[in-house]
Amino acid sequence: MRTLLPLIRQRLDSLNETQLRVLYSIVALLPLAWLVLATTVFVNGLDESTDRMSLDREMRGNRYVLIVRSVEEGGPGHEAGIRAGDRVLAINGTAVTHELLARKQSRRLRTEAPAGRPVVYVIERNGRVLPVELTLVERELSDGIFLVPLFYLFTLLWLAIGTLVALAQPRGRIQRAFFLTAASCAFAFSLPGVASGAFGGDSVITAVLVVLQTMTGAFFFSFWIYFCSLFPVDQNLFRSGYGKTVLAIPPSMMVIVLVFVAIVEATGEENVMAVVLFAISVGLMLLIDLLYFVGGIVLLYRGYSRLAPTAERRSIRVILAGAVITLIALLSLPLMLFFPAAGIKVGAALLIPMALILALPVSFGFAIFKYQVMDFRLVVKTTVVYVVTMMLVGGIYLGIAYGISQLFGALIARRFQDSIEIAVFVGCLLLFDPIKRQLQTAIENRFFPQRRDYSSHLASFASLVERSVNTRAIAALIASTLRQTLDLERVAVTSVASDALETMATSCREDGEECGEGSTPEPFDGEALTELARVLRRSHGIVSLEVVGGDHLAELRTRFAYGVGLFAQGRLVGLALISRPAGDGSLQGRQVQFLNGVATQGAAALEVARLYEEELARQRYDEQLAAARHIQQSLLATDVPRLPGLTASVAAQPAQAVGGDYFRVIRLDDARVLVIVADVSGKGLPAALYMAQLHGMVCIAGATCTTPAEILTTINGHLFEEMARGTFVTATVMIFDTGRGIVHYARAGHTPILVRNAAGLRTLAPRGLALGVVASTTFLGHLEERSLRFAPGDTFILYSDGVSEAMNEQRELYDDERLIATIDAAADAGPDDLCAAIVESVDRFRDGAEPNDDVSIVVIRAEAVTTDDRADELEPASIAVAAEA
């Protein structure tokens, strides 16, 4: 079922309007034929004769027998001597057999004989067989019997209105749901014995018709509540799996009832359990049907409450009142039937309250003709005028051809007159047919825009839109094409990108003058566009703004009448707002087809243009990123110069094209070297920009400050004033004095310094806050500067947290333990080899996982203590290293 329904819906969508109208007409003939059959059975039943006895079948020895349960005193049976308890063996020459009783055909034997003629009953009493002759009389009609024509009239009215609505708007989802409700209504509200009364209780066609009637009638309640969920506002209730399950409950209950009917028929009425379960299932089914009918009215009121105070709202008020009146009449039906059953004569008074069931179809008809609900009246009026006009054109065409043929016939001899007239008539038909077609097309284009051939306009639009690669240009083309072709007052096209709504183009006409062709209008209310986009995502079609609830759309309704979704690959990429066609009409026929065609092609073009623009933007971004990388590399040298008594090595792996890790090694004088390692929070281009700013600060602070604490405090003062809150920089500053063999160092929230010497590996971690978080006075209060004497061979390892916090595919951290193990394994390696070993270990641990942060490593090794004699031989030099772009 889940795969069948989408296939049916897809097949229906592929049909054109003419094919759909033919299909609706064929489907409407089925309930109409059923109503005719039901009415015929009802009328024939009015002439049935009766013996005024109560007969019932009884099981004796695994066989059914017919027993007289009661005899009306003074009736034909009582006058003939038949008494309660007698067994009937034959009626009017036909034996009452077990097979006949199993098919419940005894009633037909009693009613087939006309009233006033003698009928022979053969009965058995106390073992004696007695033939009895009696005369049947006409059956007295109860007051309740005249309720049946009311129900048939009720269904006929609903079927007629539903068929007209579907024929007027064959593609409308609401119209289709209303038609299905009307078509199934004929089966839901007709008597259950129609099939058996027409074809007998034992025929195959009777069984088929009974199943058809009961199952189709059960679908009425599903169609009714579904229609009320769509009209007047789509409440989007039955599209999920749960909603579809709710719709399947009434027919499912009918299947259960039919199963119990089959069980009772197979096991007999003596099977008490089956009879009880059958009664319970029937009662439960009737309760569910009643709840669904009431639920539909509730949904109708819910949709009514969401409407703005327009003519549409007044029309729904009429329909809602009719539905409530019909519900009250149906609920009073048991009471109306109780009086005749109790012998209370109420006569025609019984029909007065029950006639109120007609309120529902009458209210629909009134609302349709009075307020044009579902665009019905205008469509019918236009269709009638169109048919009359085309008949007039055809009549003139035939009249001219006939007149010319008669003229030629008058000039020809009588012997050949008939042949010449026929030949000239046929020739005129062929000759003038192109002129007639052009005249019909001109009339359609001028007076019947809903039947205009828009294929050339659509082809022209497709040609233009294929040459457009700009989203605004395409939006302007959509707006101008719709406004000019459909003769609209105003059109606006809005894009939907990343759930952000942007009005891209508009086209309008005021006082006959073009205005704002393709221009960008003033922005609409964002909440209104968001609400309309939500509705279009649900409906996937053309939505009338008048029937869409919500106060947000009030401003849109003043200028526009319809909203159209622009869908590309099932995704809403834009929406078009359009006014009514000229003359305050509504979109109809081929106008809707043209609008859907422009929306489909325009949406695809918008999506392609959007992807093209995104590709251009990406290319521009890549170019800008490459330029930023080049600038970053130009600011920071990559070669390590000779240092007094030190050997340095660096390694860097940015997580993105540019990074936020920063290294700089500066030779301050002949004996002192400044080393700074920093890490800007985050990564990528923003971090790289802060890193470039940090570079300038380090150059200034390194030239003016003498201690690590002073350098960090100076940099913090600048960053705290200029850096955005939430962004910070961690850093470690070391000043090596190779003449004295002392290193001064301070740390601003950075990773610890690792030192490897003859005694082993140790960690240096003075306290300090990150740069740019607090003011310099507070920062200095938390900053600790230390000093350490070093000897030749001592190695200092500085690294960013991208090393210790590197992750593999399992989201495991590389951590400090693995880093220390790697350093221990390379105990005899120089700075270059040690850097390479750490980078290789981190890469091996990642095992192909994407880098989650920048990786930076600086290794400084003390070679010897510099003396004053050698200091003059060293030229001032410095290096700066950052994460490569």
Side-chain angles (χ1 to χ4, degrees):
M1 182 64 72
R2 292 183 177 179
T3 57
L4 180 62
L5 291 179
L7 289 177
I8 295 176
R9 190 180 299 109
Q10 182 179 4
R11 180 56 182 168
L12 289 177
D13 293 339
S14 66
L15 300 178
N16 58 40
E17 290 192 357
T18 301
Q19 293 171 328
L20 285 173
R21 288 189 175 96
V22 172
L23 179 61
Y24 287 141
S25 301
I26 295 174
V27 173
L29 289 176
L30 297 178
L32 181 61
W34 182 262
L35 282 177
V36 172
L37 179 64
T39 303
T40 303
V41 172
F42 170 74
V43 173
N44 291 336
L46 297 178
D47 297 330
E48 287 185 354
S49 54
T50 179
D51 53 17
R52 293 187 180 178
M53 295 187 301
S54 175
L55 279 65
D56 194 9
R57 64 180 185 175
E58 181 180 296
M59 182 66 70
R60 292 182 180 178
N62 296 326
R63 296 186 66 82
Y64 283 116
V65 296
L66 189 61
I67 303 299
V68 180
R69 296 299 183 191
S70 62
V71 182
E72 183 180 336
E73 188 174 353
H78 185 269
E79 295 294 334
I82 300 177
R83 299 295 180 262
D86 293 345
R87 175 185 174 185
V88 180
L89 301 178
I91 299 176
N92 205 26
T94 302
V96 181
T97 62
H98 167 77
E99 290 74 19
L100 186 143
L101 293 176
R103 297 192 299 267
K104 298 183 179 181
Q105 293 295 299
S106 62
R107 177 176 174 82
R108 294 189 61 184
L109 299 178
R110 301 161 61 194
T111 59
E112 283 179 348
R117 294 184 183 181
V119 177
V120 177
Y121 279 51
V122 179
I123 65 172
E124 179 186 3
R125 181 187 300 163
N126 299 327
R128 297 170 56 195
V129 177
L130 304 173
V132 177
E133 184 178 282
L134 53 87
T135 301
L136 301 180
V137 296
E138 292 184 358
R139 183 166 61 92
E140 293 183 1
L141 300 178
S142 64
D143 298 324
I145 195 67
F146 295 103
L147 295 177
V148 177
L150 282 177
F151 281 100
Y152 291 169
L153 180 60
F154 168 80
T155 57
L156 182 61
L157 288 175
W158 203 338
L159 177 62
I161 296 172
T163 303
L164 289 176
V165 166
L167 293 180
Q169 292 287 345
R171 291 193 178 278
R173 190 156 60 108
I174 296 176
Q175 287 80 1
R176 184 180 301 173
F178 185 67
F179 172 74
L180 292 175
T181 305
S184 58
C185 175
F187 298 93
F189 290 91
S190 58
L191 293 176
V194 172
S196 60
F199 302 99
D202 57 343
S203 64
V204 175
I205 190 172
T206 298
V208 173
L209 289 178
V210 167
V211 174
L212 173 65
Q213 176 190 0
T214 53
M215 291 304 302
T216 308
F219 273 106
F220 163 78
F221 299 96
S222 300
F223 291 144
W224 164 251
I225 198 170
Y226 176 68
F227 165 74
C228 293
S229 72
L230 297 177
F231 179 82
V233 176
D234 186 359
Q235 302 176 41
N236 194 27
L237 295 179
F238 299 110
R239 294 184 182 177
S240 63
Y242 175 77
K244 294 176 182 178
T245 302
V246 172
L247 293 179
I249 290 178
S252 300
M253 280 303 305
M254 181 55 70
V255 171
I256 295 175
V257 171
L258 291 176
V259 169
F260 281 118
V261 169
I263 294 175
V264 172
E265 290 287 343
T267 60
E269 297 180 358
E270 287 74 14
N271 188 338
V272 179
M273 180 61 69
V275 173
V276 170
L277 292 177
F278 167 71
I280 294 175
S281 63
V282 170
L284 185 59
M285 180 193 66
L286 294 177
L287 177 61
I288 290 175
D289 293 345
L290 177 62
L291 291 177
Y292 270 60
F293 192 81
V294 175
I297 297 176
V298 172
L299 292 181
L300 194 64
Y301 174 78
R302 186 183 180 193
Y304 161 81
S305 63
R306 295 184 178 184
L307 291 178
T310 59
E312 185 77 14
R313 184 180 175 92
R314 292 193 298 271
S315 66
I316 305 305
R317 189 184 306 156
V318 173
I319 296 174
L320 187 61
V324 173
I325 293 173
T326 297
L327 175 62
I328 295 174
L330 291 175
L331 293 177
S332 64
L333 178 61
L335 182 61
M336 294 296 102
L337 296 178
F338 170 76
F339 291 112
I344 302 175
K345 299 293 184 179
V346 293
L350 178 66
L351 300 178
I352 296 176
M354 288 311 302
L356 296 178
I357 64 171
L358 301 177
L360 185 56
V362 170
S363 65
F364 266 109
F366 176 80
I368 286 172
F369 282 95
K370 177 67 175 177
Y371 299 106
Q372 302 183 33
V373 176
M374 292 183 279
D375 294 336
F376 174 84
R377 189 181 67 177
L378 184 61
V379 173
V380 173
K381 177 182 176 181
T382 305
T383 302
V384 172
V385 174
Y386 174 79
V387 171
V388 173
T389 303
M390 292 299 107
M391 289 178 62
L392 181 62
V393 172
I396 294 173
Y397 164 67
L398 293 175
I400 292 175
Y402 180 75
I404 294 176
S405 67
Q406 291 297 312
L407 179 62
F408 271 87
L411 301 176
I412 303 300
R414 191 172 187 84
R415 179 180 177 183
F416 304 102
Q417 186 176 16
D418 293 340
S419 300
I420 294 298
E421 287 180 355
I422 294 174
V424 172
F425 180 73
V426 173
C428 289
L429 290 180
L430 296 175
L431 181 63
F432 295 137
D433 184 68
I435 300 176
K436 185 204 70 169
R437 291 180 180 274
Q438 291 182 3
L439 179 61
Q440 288 178 333
T441 302
I443 293 175
E444 288 176 347
N445 293 340
R446 177 64 180 86
F447 300 103
F448 302 98
Q450 70 280 359
R451 297 184 180 274
R452 185 181 302 164
D453 185 5
Y454 293 99
S455 56
S456 61
H457 298 277
L458 193 59
S460 176
F461 172 78
S463 176
L464 292 174
V465 81
E466 285 180 357
R467 298 196 295 267
S468 302
V469 294
N470 179 271
T471 53
R472 291 194 175 276
I474 293 173
L477 180 61
I478 294 173
S480 60
T481 300
L482 291 178
R483 192 199 60 74
Q484 296 173 5
T485 307
L486 298 179
D487 196 16
L488 305 174
E489 188 73 21
R490 183 176 287 104
V491 179
V493 177
T494 298
S495 69
V496 180
S498 302
D499 293 331
L501 294 158
E502 178 189 5
T503 305
M504 302 174 63
T506 186
S507 179
C508 62
R509 182 187 66 236
E510 293 181 0
D511 299 328
E513 299 293 333
E514 303 294 329
C515 65
E517 191 71 30
S519 64
T520 302
E522 57 180 309
F524 296 106
D525 180 22
E527 293 184 356
L529 293 179
T530 301
E531 177 64 24
L532 182 58
R534 187 179 301 111
V535 173
L536 290 171
R537 285 190 180 96
R538 295 197 304 262
S539 62
H540 276 260
I542 303 172
V543 173
S544 175
L545 299 183
E546 289 187 358
V547 300
V548 178
D551 297 334
H552 298 311
L553 301 182
E555 186 265 342
L556 294 180
R557 294 191 190 98
T558 60
R559 289 183 285 173
F560 302 98
Y562 298 96
V564 185
L566 307 179
F567 289 90
Q569 298 180 344
R571 189 175 67 87
L572 184 69
V573 298
L575 55 92
L577 295 165
I578 65 175
S579 61
R580 289 189 179 276
D584 197 31
S586 59
L587 293 173
Q588 304 170 30
R590 295 176 181 174
Q591 291 176 321
V592 176
Q593 296 178 9
F594 174 74
L595 181 57
N596 286 330
V598 171
T600 300
Q601 295 186 19
L606 278 176
E607 182 67 4
V608 172
R610 184 188 65 81
L611 295 175
Y612 178 72
E613 290 176 352
E614 288 182 355
E615 177 64 19
L616 290 180
R618 189 188 65 80
Q619 291 179 2
R620 288 193 296 268
Y621 176 78
D622 290 343
E623 292 174 357
Q624 295 170 357
L625 201 60
R629 177 179 179 177
H630 177 72
I631 293 172
Q632 189 180 62
Q633 289 178 336
S634 66
L635 289 176
L636 305 174
T638 56
D639 295 331
V640 179
R642 294 177 57 194
L643 298 174
L646 301 174
T647 302
S649 180
V650 298
Q653 287 184 342
Q656 297 181 5
V658 291
D661 283 5
Y662 176 73
F663 310 86
R664 188 162 177 81
V665 180
I666 303 174
R667 181 175 176 179
L668 299 177
D669 53 34
D670 295 340
R672 294 186 307 140
V673 175
L674 169 66
V675 178
I676 180 171
V677 180
D679 183 4
V680 182
S681 61
K683 52 184 177 291
L685 191 57
L689 294 176
Y690 278 119
M691 185 274 294
Q693 185 179 10
L694 179 65
H695 171 77
M697 297 179 187
V698 170
C699 292
I700 296 174
T704 58
C705 302
T706 58
T707 65
E710 189 178 355
I711 293 173
L712 290 175
T713 304
T714 302
I715 295 175
N716 179 78
H718 291 286
L719 292 179
F720 182 73
E721 295 294 333
E722 300 179 10
M723 185 173 286
R725 290 295 157 277
T727 304
F728 56 89
V729 178
T730 63
T732 296
V733 175
M734 305 182 72
I735 296 180
F736 288 88
D737 188 342
T738 57
R740 300 168 56 196
I742 297 176
V743 57
H744 306 280
Y745 59 92
R747 188 174 66 101
H750 201 68
T751 54
I753 306 168
L754 298 179
V755 182
R756 187 183 67 186
N757 52 28
L761 189 66
R762 59 181 295 193
T763 300
L764 306 179
R767 58 187 176 86
L769 299 177
L771 302 171
V773 178
V774 296
S776 293
T777 54
T778 305
F779 175 81
L780 185 59
H782 291 80
L783 185 64
E784 180 183 6
E785 180 181 314
R786 297 180 185 176
S787 299
L788 176 70
R789 187 172 296 280
F790 61 88
D794 292 355
T795 303
F796 298 84
I797 301 102
L798 293 81
Y799 60 94
S800 67
D801 57 3
V803 175
S804 58
E805 296 179 2
M807 293 184 182
N808 57 17
E809 292 287 354
Q810 290 73 37
R811 308 296 293 175
E812 296 175 338
L813 293 177
Y814 181 77
D815 64 41
D816 293 332
E817 286 74 11
R818 288 187 175 88
L819 175 60
I820 293 173
T822 301
I823 295 173
D824 288 340
D828 299 329
D832 291 339
D833 294 337
L834 181 56
C835 275
I838 295 174
V839 171
E840 181 183 358
S841 176
V842 171
D843 289 341
R844 188 169 55 251
F845 174 77
R846 280 206 189 101
D847 193 21
E850 290 292 329
N852 57 296
D853 200 357
D854 302 327
V855 171
S856 303
I857 305 168
V858 176
V859 177
I860 305 294
R861 180 175 178 178
E863 301 295 345
V865 176
T866 306
T867 62
D868 294 338
D869 296 336
R870 298 181 57 196
D872 294 336
E873 299 175 3
L874 299 175
E875 297 180 358
S878 66
I879 66 167
V881 183
E884 290 187 0

